[in-house]
Amino acid sequence: MFNIVIFGAPGSGKGTQSDFLVKKYNLIHLSTGDLLRAEIAAGSELGKLADGLIAKGEFVPDNLIIDLLANAIDKNSGASGFIFDGFPRTVVQAGALDEMLTKRGMQVDIMLNIAVDNNELVARLLNRGKTSGRSDDNLEIIQQRLRTYEEKTMPVIAYYDKQGKNTPIQGMGTMDEVLARITNAVDKVKK
Ligand code: AP5
Ligand code: MG
């Protein structure tokens, strides 16, 4: 069992790098953003609530997202490990993740903290917005997402710092360069 938290601002490359890592390390990718977009597509109650919040660049309440993630873990009980992408995004969620993993005899092994300059984040998301169809990939909401990240999500770094799991990754450069930095960091921790 090996569990990764992939962490970083909107556009830092969490989803992109997760796609590479699931293949290399045989992990299950759990992106709370993707799970919420699936709820929206399915027209569920959670999806209806999430639709409005995502379009404003605001967060879904902690209790709802914590239940969503716990269910996703339990649906994949045979997994050899997980990549948690977009979760935890608040300190409350970080505590809840530890609790839900401990209950299941698991733990977070490494937190990859991908750092990308703000102007590069905006450029990447605007570019993605040309084809993504995502309601939050426009300049006004990108700027709101970056503010929400700074206010609510950056404090999560200190949480993992205290546990000795915060692993800064330089996220500027090509996808392959970033992947090489990440695999180097993971291989130091993974037995
Ligand atoms: P979520 O879907 O998680 O969005 P996000 O965190 O804003 O991050 P993104 O998915 O936009 O970026 P990414 O880091 O995955 O980058 P990517 O690899 O795509 O969440 C959306 C919303 O859902 C939230 O705002 C919130 O409302 C809600 N939500 C989700 N989780 C929640 C939670 N836990 N609690 C409460 N609410 C929650 O890359 C971006 C682009 O850059 C792509 O086009 C990619 O091709 C390109 N790119 C990637 N790497 C590089 C590179 N090295 N060089 C050039 N381009 C690159
Ligand atoms: Mg993503």
Side-chain angles (χ1 to χ4, degrees):
M1 197 51 144
F2 190 80
N3 298 306
I4 296 174
V5 167
I6 194 158
F7 182 93
S12 56
K14 302 183 293 295
T16 303
Q17 294 298 330
S18 294
D19 288 344
F20 295 129
L21 296 174
V22 289
K23 293 193 203 101
K24 184 163 168 70
Y25 298 108
N26 187 29
L27 303 171
I28 298 280
H29 178 207
L30 294 182
S31 154
T32 44
D34 290 348
L35 291 171
L36 289 172
R37 285 183 287 274
E39 293 288 326
I40 295 171
S44 70
E45 284 306 310
L46 174 60
K48 283 175 199 156
L49 175 76
D51 200 7
L53 293 169
I54 289 176
K56 286 191 276 185
E58 290 171 14
F59 285 174
V60 170
D62 284 331
N63 59 327
L64 299 179
I65 202 89
I66 288 164
D67 286 351
L68 182 73
L69 188 79
N71 285 332
I73 291 175
D74 289 336
K75 274 187 200 150
N76 291 284
S77 53
S80 61
F82 293 94
I83 304 180
F84 300 107
D85 163 2
F87 188 101
R89 269 175 137 89
T90 63
V91 173
V92 168
Q93 291 179 19
L97 180 61
D98 275 344
E99 204 179 301
M100 73 175 89
L101 293 181
T102 303
K103 259 193 219 162
R104 292 163 174 81
M106 295 152 58
Q107 61 165 7
V108 171
D109 293 288
I110 190 169
M111 182 262 210
L112 301 167
N113 177 6
I114 308 176
V116 171
D117 297 350
N118 264 30
N119 52 358
E120 170 73 7
L121 294 171
V122 174
R124 285 185 192 177
L125 293 174
L126 283 176
N127 188 45
R128 190 179 67 186
K130 290 177 197 160
T131 54
S132 69
R134 276 180 56 164
S135 61
D136 55 352
D137 280 346
N138 60 78
L139 186 58
E140 188 193 343
I141 303 304
I142 290 166
Q143 284 168 341
Q144 179 57 43
R145 286 157 70 197
L146 293 174
R147 280 195 293 274
T148 310
Y149 171 78
E150 277 168 29
E151 278 167 32
K152 298 195 172 158
T153 307
M154 282 187 63
V156 172
I157 297 171
Y159 182 95
Y160 285 105
D161 231 3
K162 276 191 212 125
Q163 298 188 349
K165 292 176 183 170
N166 170 28
T167 310
I169 302 288
Q170 167 59 266
M172 299 289 287
T174 66
M175 294 176 193
D176 284 347
E177 284 166 349
V178 178
L179 178 64
R181 293 175 196 132
I182 288 177
T183 53
N184 188 39
V186 168
D187 290 342
K188 278 187 193 150
V189 174
K190 198 175 187 301
K191 285 134 236 144

